[in-house]
Amino acid sequence: MVRRSVGTALGAAVAALTLAACGTTGPAAGGAGGVTVWALQDPALNPVEQESIERFNSGTDGRAKLETFVNDPYKQKLRVSLGSPNAPDVFFNWGGGNLAEYVDAGKVADLTPVLEADPELQSAFIPSVLETARLDGRYYGIPMRGMQPVVLFYNKKVFADAGVQAPRTWADLLAAVDGLKEAGVTPIALPGAQAWTELMWAEYVLDRLAGPEVFQTIRQDGPAGWRDPAVLAAMTKLGELLDRGAFGANFSSLTWDDSAASTLLAQGRAGMMLMGSWEYSRQLEANPEFVEGGDLGWLPFPAISGGEGDPGNVVGNPTNFYSVTAGAPEAATEFVSTTLHDPEYVDALIAAGDVPTVTGIEDKLAAAPNADFTTWVYGLVRDAPNFQLSWDQDLPAADAEYLLTQLQEFFLGNLTPQAFVDALASR
C-alpha cells in the first residue's frame, strides 16, 4: 500500500529509497550479518521505515538496508525469491493464508521463542492483530505498520452540492448514487484496473449479508463453500450496483497506484471511494487542502437491511507484518524484535497519519495532528466484533489470484453472479 508523509524529510528520504527491480541479496548473500528488508513502496511510510533502520544501524554494525516494491509485482517477486537463494532476510507480508504458504514450505523463521522470552514485546501489540501472523500456535510475524480497515471515504462538498446524505445503509448508498449521477458526478471512484480494489466491495457486501462465517468456511473447507447461497445473493446485490452505473464508465482503466481514483475524489469528480485507511495519508500528501479544509469524510461500510452480518464488522488488513526468512542472520530477528514497538517509530507512524497496532497509545493519537481520523479508526477496529483479513491475503496465493481474475471479469460484465459462483466453486 502506498501512502503519504507529513514529515519534512519526505523528498530526501523517498529519493534515498530506490526501487529494487532486480534481485537482491538474500540470507546467504547478505553476508557478515547484513540484513536486507523488503517492504511495499509507500511515500508516507517508507521514510519512517528508513529512519527506523538507520536507528537500528546506529546501534549495531549498520548493515541493514531497505528495499521497496510496488504492490502487485511484489507478491510475485516474493513468491519466487523465497524459493531461491535471493530471498530477503526480512519481508513485508499480510499474515494469514498468504504467509501460511511460506511457513508450510519451511521458508519462515518461528518467532515464538523470541516473543515468549520477552513478555514486554508480546504485550506491546493488540493481541487480535498479532494473532493474524500466528499459525498452528506459532508466531511468524511482528506488526510493522498500522491497522488498515477498509473505509468508505466521501467528498463532503460534493455531497452537499448534490443534496445527498452520507450513506449509513445500503438504501442510503443507492440514493446517494442516484443523486450524484443527477449532479453529473461519478458516484464512486473505483480503481478497477487493480482487482483488489473491487474485492473490497465483495468482502463487505457478503459480510453485511451473512457475516464472516461464509468466507471462513470457504477458507477452511475449500472451493465448494462458494456455493453458499449468500455468495450468490451478495454478487447479485453488487451486480445491481454495477448496473446502476455507480462506478462510472471508465473504472476499469483507473488504478490506485497512480492516484487516478484518489484524484477524482479530491477534485470532486467522484463522490465516494471504498479504500483502506491508508487513503487518508495519500490524500493528506497529494491534496492537503482537501483534507485540511474538512471536505474529506469517512464512514463505516453501510449496513444492509435484513442482513445477518454485524454492521460493526470490518474487513481489510489488521496490519502488515515483518517476517524473518529461515536461515537469515541473527540480526534480522534482532531488527524485528527491537524496532517495531520503539516509541520513536510509533510516534513517526502516528505523525504520518497511520494508526499503530501497539497498545496504550490512545493519548498519543488524541494529541496528534490527524486525531479526528486516527482515533476514529482506532475505535472502529477496537470495537469491531470481527476483523476479516482481505480475502486475497487469507487464501493461498494461487486461489487468490484466480479469485481476483474472476472478480475482474464480473465487474467487466463478462460473468453473471451465478457464473462467478460456478467458476470459483468448480476450481
Side-chain angles (χ1 to χ4, degrees), residues 123-186:
S123 64
F125 301 97
I126 295 173
S128 61
V129 173
L130 195 59
E131 284 293 302
T132 307
R134 186 170 183 247
L135 304 166
D136 294 331
R138 313 296 291 179
Y139 292 98
Y140 293 94
I142 304 292
M144 50 77 70
R145 286 185 180 173
M147 53 183 71
Q148 300 171 334
V150 173
V151 173
L152 184 62
F153 292 95
Y154 70 104
N155 187 317
K156 292 181 180 179
K157 183 176 186 304
V158 167
F159 268 61
D161 290 346
V164 298
Q165 300 297 315
R168 302 284 181 178
T169 67
W170 188 261
D172 292 344
L173 180 66
L174 297 181
V177 166
D178 292 344
L180 292 168
K181 285 179 65 180
E182 289 177 10
V185 175
T186 299

Side-chain angles (χ1 to χ4, degrees), residues 212 310-314 380-388:
D310 192 310
N313 288 342
V314 293
L380 181 74
V381 172
R382 181 195 58 210
D383 299 336
N386 187 73
F387 194 154
Q388 172 59 53

Side-chain angles (χ1 to χ4, degrees), residues 69-387:
F69 306 84
V70 296
N71 192 359
D72 293 337
Y74 172 75
K75 298 170 186 175
Q76 178 62 25
K77 184 175 181 66
L78 180 64
R79 192 174 306 139
V80 172
S81 71
L82 287 183
S84 78
N86 295 321
D89 302 300
V90 174
F91 64 94
F92 173 108
N93 65 85
W94 293 262
N98 181 269
L99 178 61
E101 283 186 277
Y102 305 136
V103 171
D104 291 344
K107 304 298 183 184
V108 187
D110 182 359
L111 298 175
T112 307
V114 177
L115 288 162
E116 289 179 344
D118 187 351
E120 183 178 346
L121 171 64
Q122 186 158 2
S123 64
F125 301 97
I126 295 173
S128 61
V129 173
L130 195 59
E131 284 293 302
T132 307
R134 186 170 183 247
L135 304 166
D136 294 331
R138 313 296 291 179
Y139 292 98
Y140 293 94
I142 304 292
M144 50 77 70
R145 286 185 180 173
M147 53 183 71
Q148 300 171 334
V150 173
V151 173
L152 184 62
F153 292 95
Y154 70 104
N155 187 317
K156 292 181 180 179
K157 183 176 186 304
V158 167
F159 268 61
D161 290 346
V164 298
Q165 300 297 315
R168 302 284 181 178
T169 67
W170 188 261
D172 292 344
L173 180 66
L174 297 181
V177 166
D178 292 344
L180 292 168
K181 285 179 65 180
E182 289 177 10
V185 175
T186 299
I188 301 167
L190 175 65
Q194 294 175 287
W196 57 267
T197 69
E198 299 169 336
L199 185 63
M200 295 171 176
W201 284 93
E203 291 167 344
Y204 259 133
V205 173
L206 179 59
D207 188 279
R208 291 291 187 267
L209 280 176
E213 293 80 7
V214 175
F215 177 75
Q216 291 170 0
T217 297
I218 293 169
R219 183 189 59 198
Q220 294 168 10
D221 298 341
W226 290 105
R227 291 208 182 278
D228 188 300
V231 178
L232 180 60
M235 300 310 293
T236 300
K237 188 168 282 294
L238 192 51
E240 293 169 355
L241 198 62
L242 278 160
D243 293 341
R244 215 178 187 98
F247 303 108
N250 300 316
F251 68 84
S252 63
S253 65
L254 300 176
T255 73
W256 190 83
D257 286 345
D258 67 2
S259 297
S262 302
T263 300
L264 290 180
L265 181 69
Q267 294 183 347
R269 291 185 285 156
M272 295 173 276
M273 183 175 178
L274 187 65
M275 185 49 60
S277 56
W278 54 83
E279 177 67 17
Y280 180 90
S281 297
R282 163 167 285 190
Q283 293 289 356
L284 198 58
E285 166 70 22
N287 305 291
E289 69 289 346
F290 175 47
V291 180
E292 294 164 1
D295 287 334
L296 177 63
W298 48 85
L299 295 163
F301 192 83
I304 295 179
S305 178
E308 297 178 4
D310 192 310
N313 288 342
V314 293
V315 305
N317 301 323
T319 191
N320 298 120
F321 297 88
Y322 273 151
S323 295
V324 176
T325 304
E330 184 177 343
T333 299
E334 181 183 356
F335 172 74
V336 302
S337 64
T338 60
T339 62
L340 303 178
H341 61 303
D342 177 82
E344 287 186 80
Y345 183 68
V346 172
D347 290 348
L349 288 176
I350 293 174
D354 221 16
V355 184
T357 61
V358 298
T359 55
I361 60 168
E362 289 86 347
D363 290 344
K364 287 187 175 182
L365 290 172
N370 306 298
D372 287 350
F373 182 70
T374 59
T375 56
W376 181 83
V377 167
Y378 196 85
L380 181 74
V381 172
R382 181 195 58 210
D383 299 336
N386 187 73
F387 194 154

